[in-house]
Amino acid sequence: MKNKLVNSSFVILVIICSLLCTGCAPKRQAVQLLLRSSPWHFSEGSALSALSPEKTSGTFTAPSDSSSFTIKMSVNLKRENSIKNLLQIPGVLNMKTFQHDAKDRKIQNYPAYPMPDGSIPVLEAALRLHSPTEPKGASDMPIGIPLAMLEKSEGEHEVLLHFSGVRWTLYLDNELLDNDFALGYPKWGKQSTWEIDPSLVSKAEIFFPGIEPQKVALKIPRSSAEIQYWTPQGHNTWVGDVVTFYHNGRYHLFYLFDRRGHSSKFGKGAHYFEHLSTTDFKTWTEHEAATPIEEQWETFGTGTPFIFNNKLCVSYGLHTTRIYPKEQTTLPLQWDYYNKHGVTGSFRYDTIPGYPAGSTYSISEDGISNFKKTKILFHPCENPSVYTDPEGRLRMLANYGAKGTWESKSIDGGWRSVNQEFPPGGDCTFFFRWRNFDYVIGGFTGFWLKPVSAPEDKFVDGVKAGLDFYNGMNVPAVTEINDGRFLLAGWIPMGRWGGALTIHEMVQSPEGRIGTKWMEEIIPATHKEKSLAKEIKETSSFATGSPSFLLTFDVEPGTDLSGKLGALFLGADGENQACEVQISPKAKKAQYGKGQLQNFSGVEKSLREGGSPSSARNYAIENLINTDKPFTVRMIVKYEDKFGGSQIDTEIAGQRTMIAFRTDLKVEKLLLRSEETGIKNVKIAALKN
């Protein structure tokens, strides 16, 4: 009898525990990204000239062959209300502090780091460069930081300015905080004068040639929590075009590193491929840049990773025509060769005249990272999408400067056109095969599919049919990983160009229809989940408690075709910048729209209808999947001062996703409403990071 009582008590306890745990959110651990960044060391040298409070100005003669210089300074930073010039070299360099407009995020994004009172004090150094390609002849190239990004925004700091001939870089307390890529050189006089403000600068030294920095090896690498919605360290750093590859159990993610929203190198972009990888999607590693900029003429365009001769390679375009006219580049030579021979040539660009332009590639020396440039030009297009198709053929989709499908026996030239008209060029097209279907996607709008058994000229336009999967990501890349899973990775536009990295998992129907869902391994970690309502019977408002959170709820679609629900996200200023996620289950449509307190937002257009998902602002998606029966909606709202607003990522029925960005929106309040549609089990959990 005693044993029966014990067993009964145990069963009851198990049932109670089970009931208590029902509905609890799964505990998620934050993803960890191991960073490459470290402090920098500059060796001692003999200064050509030095200034101090006792000697606030001086003269020096720069070497006639100088293409690099370094300035070391000891600076006492202060929050000044007016412009203060710390250092001046007339006609060459001006370094100053000033108050920046808190609403001006153009170029430098200084408001990413505001002071507690909202002010934006800035330290900035502008170098005047003389370039034969610039209409003005000479232009100032500023680099700078908002002082609030420093652990100690005021007081003594070591500031170092370094011009290498390729890079113009600001270091503060041995940390690289901003840089740009040079186009032109400073013009030193026969004798240059310089001066400091002794109330702010206690020492300044200038070195010719410049002192090249050396990385300090760290025993424990720095790290960043989370990869979803990640941006590189810094106030003005963004993720640009993403290309991905899965090889030997490792997922490689290359992205065009961007500062200033395409405005670096005087608006030429100065993009190059940085590289991340992971074997388990929980721990990521940041590698050395795969295609670093090493010459003033270099600025790179999108390509693809691929395997050739058992080597991990990455193709990319040399966008040199952004800097020099086509006639001064190698493009005429390459097109002449193709027109004469019917196939492309192979040229070592360091052995021929003209500025290199067109397609090239780099090879990994260890199969993981350590990429080296081949300096081989193999095609005149400037965005080469190289891949080995499932039949083992080496192929390329040509973009930017060419179009169509090309084929070759070798990566090093010999490319012939096998389809002149498809795909129709544009930005960054990619091919992939999934089960019984072939797909080609474009960077912003194009989407084509066909059965594997169909001829190559039978691709169907999925956008015209309203069956595309564009969801706010720009230039999405598709890669198959382990277990037959496919991932979609791209960037979400937040400013002028570039934004946050976003990765979703793809789903496929037997008919070849593609959808997307969240990738469970990288969903951001959250604090304890809180229930907001068991059921929404009338329009209801809730405080979110945090500007970054995970919101979930269940939907009863009802029977009315006009039935819909709205989740309205509001900031401190009410309808201004408000965003509404609207879902019409029976009409199988969802949208982001301008939020209104009294009414649902107006109707937005899908891509097929002329809308613009790639803008990641207001747009619609259509032909939702599995919304004619009860389903779940999950939304992540992510706010950062660096973003200058909120990214809103919505997953509908585990089959479709859509993402938007809202400038100046910092969510404080949530409003839920519906017409002929049920909303149940509303829960919220603040993000940990």
Side-chain angles (χ1 to χ4, degrees):
M1 183 70 168
K2 183 177 180 181
N3 287 338
K4 287 184 178 180
L5 287 173
V6 171
N7 290 337
S8 298
S9 299
F10 178 75
V11 170
I12 292 171
L13 182 62
V14 168
I15 293 172
I16 292 172
C17 290
S18 176
L19 290 171
L20 289 173
C21 292
T22 299
C24 292
K27 186 176 181 180
R28 295 191 182 93
Q29 294 182 341
V31 170
Q32 185 182 48
L33 170 59
L34 302 178
L35 299 171
R36 183 180 86 244
S37 70
S38 72
W40 293 83
H41 171 70
F42 287 80
S43 61
E44 296 299 323
S46 179
L48 183 62
S49 181
L51 302 178
S52 67
E54 292 73 37
K55 183 187 176 184
T56 61
S57 64
T59 61
F60 59 87
T61 301
S64 59
D65 61 348
S66 65
S67 60
S68 69
F69 70 91
T70 300
I71 296 176
K72 290 183 177 181
M73 304 169 63
S74 295
V75 175
N76 183 23
L77 293 176
K78 300 177 182 179
R79 293 177 60 182
E80 306 283 357
N81 291 322
S82 59
I83 296 174
K84 292 287 185 179
N85 293 309
L86 284 73
L87 178 146
Q88 295 183 83
I89 305 176
V92 176
L93 174 64
N94 181 43
M95 187 173 191
K96 61 186 178 181
T97 59
F98 60 93
Q99 286 288 340
H100 185 75
D101 183 351
K103 294 183 179 180
D104 180 8
R105 289 182 173 268
K106 295 177 183 176
I107 313 298
Q108 282 290 76
N109 198 37
Y110 287 139
Y113 288 89
M115 289 290 190
D117 64 359
S119 64
I120 314 290
V122 165
L123 173 68
E124 188 173 88
L127 179 66
R128 178 155 295 183
L129 297 176
H130 297 256
S131 170
T133 68
E134 289 301 297
K136 297 178 182 177
S139 299
D140 289 339
M141 178 171 279
I143 51 177
I145 59 167
L147 298 187
M149 75 183 297
L150 304 175
E151 188 174 334
K152 184 180 69 170
S153 60
E154 297 186 88
E156 293 290 335
H157 293 274
E158 292 297 319
V159 177
L160 196 143
L161 301 171
H162 180 62
F163 177 76
S164 70
V166 176
R167 290 176 175 81
W168 168 229
T169 309
L170 168 65
Y171 300 83
L172 197 142
D173 299 331
N174 301 315
E175 299 287 347
L176 193 164
L177 297 184
D178 194 18
N179 72 345
D180 203 339
F181 292 89
L183 193 54
Y185 294 88
K187 189 171 287 185
W188 303 99
K190 290 184 178 179
Q191 213 174 36
S192 298
T193 62
W194 68 323
E195 63 179 324
I196 59 171
D197 181 342
S199 69
L200 298 172
V201 181
S202 60
K203 183 176 70 173
E205 299 174 302
I206 189 165
F207 301 85
F208 290 92
I211 304 171
E212 288 301 316
Q214 303 296 321
K215 272 193 171 183
V216 176
L218 297 176
K219 291 183 179 180
I220 301 176
R222 293 171 175 172
S223 64
S224 174
E226 307 297 1
I227 194 73
Q228 191 73 297
Y229 321 128
W230 176 81
T231 61
Q233 288 182 302
H235 61 288
N236 59 2
T237 48
W238 307 104
V239 172
D241 294 357
V242 173
V243 294
T244 55
F245 198 66
Y246 192 73
H247 176 58
N248 289 342
R250 182 178 294 269
Y251 179 73
H252 295 267
L253 188 149
F254 303 86
Y255 69 93
L256 290 183
F257 179 90
D258 174 80
R259 286 191 191 267
R260 304 174 184 85
H262 215 297
S263 293
S264 289
K265 201 187 281 277
F266 298 132
K268 313 304 181 186
H271 298 123
Y272 61 95
F273 273 121
E274 288 282 5
H275 179 202
L276 311 174
S277 76
T278 181
T279 57
D280 61 4
F281 296 96
K282 299 303 291 185
T283 300
W284 295 67
T285 300
E286 183 179 35
H287 303 284
E288 292 294 330
T291 63
I293 290 179
E294 298 167 311
E295 304 285 348
Q296 285 202 3
W297 55 263
E298 287 182 313
T299 180
F300 301 146
T302 311
T304 48
F306 61 97
I307 297 292
F308 184 71
N309 284 342
N310 297 316
K311 299 279 190 179
L312 176 62
C313 308
V314 58
S315 66
Y316 51 99
L318 304 179
H319 277 304
T320 319
T321 50
R322 291 178 181 169
I323 303 173
Y324 294 97
K326 180 179 179 180
E327 294 72 24
Q328 295 183 30
T329 72
T330 59
L331 291 177
L333 173 67
Q334 294 177 77
W335 280 118
D336 284 348
Y337 186 96
Y338 173 72
N339 291 332
K340 289 178 182 178
H341 299 89
V343 295
T344 67
S346 178
F347 303 92
R348 281 277 309 206
Y349 63 65
D350 55 350
T351 64
I352 57 175
Y355 292 102
S359 300
T360 187
Y361 70 105
S362 292
I363 300 176
S364 170
E365 294 190 330
D366 59 10
I368 296 176
S369 57
N370 296 316
F371 285 84
K372 298 297 180 185
K373 296 173 183 174
T374 63
K375 299 185 179 180
I376 294 173
L377 296 170
F378 63 85
H379 195 284
C381 88
E382 295 177 62
N383 273 359
S385 180
V386 177
Y387 63 99
T388 300
D389 74 4
E391 283 70 46
R393 297 172 296 192
L394 186 65
R395 288 198 156 187
M396 180 185 73
L397 306 182
N399 307 282
Y400 192 69
K403 62 180 180 178
T405 304
W406 299 68
E407 191 173 308
S408 179
K409 299 294 184 182
S410 169
I411 182 68
D412 297 331
W415 290 89
R416 61 183 180 86
S417 174
V418 295
N419 189 332
Q420 294 183 353
E421 302 302 324
F422 181 82
D427 275 314
C428 317
T429 48
F430 301 103
F431 168 90
F432 66 98
R433 176 173 292 178
W434 192 352
R435 297 192 181 100
N436 299 320
F437 290 87
D438 288 337
Y439 303 88
V440 173
I441 62 171
F444 302 102
T445 61
F447 172 63
W448 301 269
L449 70 160
K450 73 171 186 66
V452 169
S453 58
E456 292 194 10
D457 61 353
K458 297 301 180 182
F459 275 96
V460 175
D461 191 329
V463 172
K464 287 185 178 179
L467 299 176
D468 64 275
F469 56 81
Y470 287 95
N471 64 353
M473 289 189 199
N474 281 235
V475 194
V478 176
T479 294
E480 182 179 7
I481 61 170
N482 55 309
D483 301 326
R485 299 166 71 189
F486 280 72
L487 300 186
L488 182 76
W491 55 277
I492 303 302
M494 293 184 165
R496 299 161 60 90
W497 191 86
L501 171 66
T502 304
I503 303 170
H504 284 175
E505 188 168 347
M506 304 173 76
V507 295
Q508 183 193 43
S509 72
E511 299 78 27
R513 174 80 187 280
I514 296 288
T516 50
K517 64 179 182 178
W518 289 354
M519 186 182 189
E520 293 297 326
E521 292 94 325
I522 62 171
I523 294 175
T526 63
H527 292 284
K528 187 176 181 180
E529 189 178 69
K530 173 185 175 183
S531 176
L532 294 181
K534 289 291 185 183
E535 186 174 2
I536 301 296
K537 296 183 178 180
E538 58 185 20
T539 299
S540 304
S541 298
F542 307 92
T544 59
S546 169
S548 299
F549 54 88
L550 166 64
L551 174 72
T552 65
F553 55 85
D554 298 326
V555 177
E556 296 285 346
T559 58
D560 198 317
L561 188 64
S562 64
K564 57 187 175 182
L565 64 90
L568 178 62
F569 297 106
L570 300 154
D573 53 354
E575 287 188 354
N576 290 333
Q577 313 304 329
C579 176
E580 183 195 65
V581 180
Q582 187 182 124
I583 302 173
S584 302
K586 287 295 184 179
K588 297 186 179 300
K589 197 166 185 178
Q591 68 173 43
Y592 287 106
K594 187 180 185 309
Q596 303 176 66
L597 285 169
Q598 301 303 320
N599 302 293
F600 282 93
S601 60
V603 176
E604 300 293 338
K605 294 181 179 179
S606 68
L607 182 59
R608 178 184 63 86
E609 297 166 330
S612 178
S614 64
S615 68
R617 300 306 190 260
N618 293 336
Y619 68 94
I621 61 173
E622 55 185 331
N623 293 311
L624 295 178
I625 304 169
N626 290 348
T627 58
D628 53 353
K629 56 187 177 183
F631 62 93
T632 298
V633 173
R634 299 193 288 182
M635 300 181 189
I636 289 178
V637 177
K638 173 75 170 181
Y639 173 85
E640 284 190 15
D641 282 333
K642 179 178 178 178
F643 295 174
S646 295
Q647 180 167 316
I648 305 172
D649 187 351
T650 302
E651 180 197 63
I652 303 170
Q655 297 288 314
R656 293 295 303 276
T657 59
M658 56 189 306
I659 312 160
F661 176 72
R662 280 296 188 276
T663 302
D664 296 329
L665 175 60
K666 186 175 184 179
V667 178
E668 295 184 357
K669 186 177 178 181
L670 163 69
L671 183 148
L672 293 172
R673 57 188 165 205
S674 65
E675 289 180 357
E676 305 298 330
T677 302
I679 303 175
K680 296 182 177 181
N681 303 320
V682 183
K683 299 173 184 177
I684 194 169
L687 301 189
K688 285 187 175 180
N689 301 294

